[in-house]
Amino acid sequence: MMTKEGTEDKEFVTPRIAYPRIPQDILFAIGGYRYGSPEYEIERSLSDVIEAYDTRADRWSVVEGVDSIGPRVYHGTAVIGFDIYVIGGYDGEEVLKLM
């Protein structure tokens, strides 16, 4: 139970939607820009890689076996249950408005 200072023991309940939906020990990095990689002809290119950082193991790994959304930057993400949704962004050719 949390109480707010100055109130008389009023209980503040954390809404269920505010609880973490995937392990809070994992951070996902989805798409973005790659800079200065010698395998690419241009200095900056778009990435379609999905990576996960495990804070307990202190290491990054590439997420395999997931359908790629294609290269994307400037996108938003949302987590519902155990699903991660990637919304909008830019794929190098056009501004995207769909998931």
Side-chain angles (χ1 to χ4, degrees):
M1 175 171 87
M2 290 181 70
T3 59
K4 188 173 181 180
E5 203 175 306
T7 63
E8 297 192 17
D9 290 333
K10 289 186 179 177
E11 189 173 331
F12 292 92
V13 179
T14 304
R16 183 168 181 233
I17 197 163
Y19 291 118
R21 289 165 195 77
I22 54 177
Q24 62 189 33
D25 298 328
I26 298 175
L27 171 72
F28 289 93
I30 301 171
Y33 281 115
R34 297 180 212 203
Y35 288 97
S37 178
E39 63 187 284
Y40 299 99
E41 294 178 10
I42 57 176
E43 281 188 35
R44 181 174 81 167
S45 62
L46 302 182
S47 172
D48 64 350
V49 175
I50 300 173
E51 296 176 286
Y53 178 71
D54 185 335
T55 59
R56 290 184 182 179
D58 190 25
R59 70 179 191 146
W60 284 95
S61 60
V62 175
V63 177
E64 302 287 343
V66 177
D67 290 334
S68 173
I69 58 168
R72 196 176 292 200
V73 295
Y74 308 125
H75 52 280
T77 58
V79 177
I80 300 175
F82 287 95
D83 296 318
I84 300 174
Y85 294 88
V86 178
I87 303 151
Y90 176 70
D91 68 358
E93 295 179 16
E94 65 180 310
V95 175
L96 306 169
K97 298 178 183 177
L98 302 173
M99 290 191 283

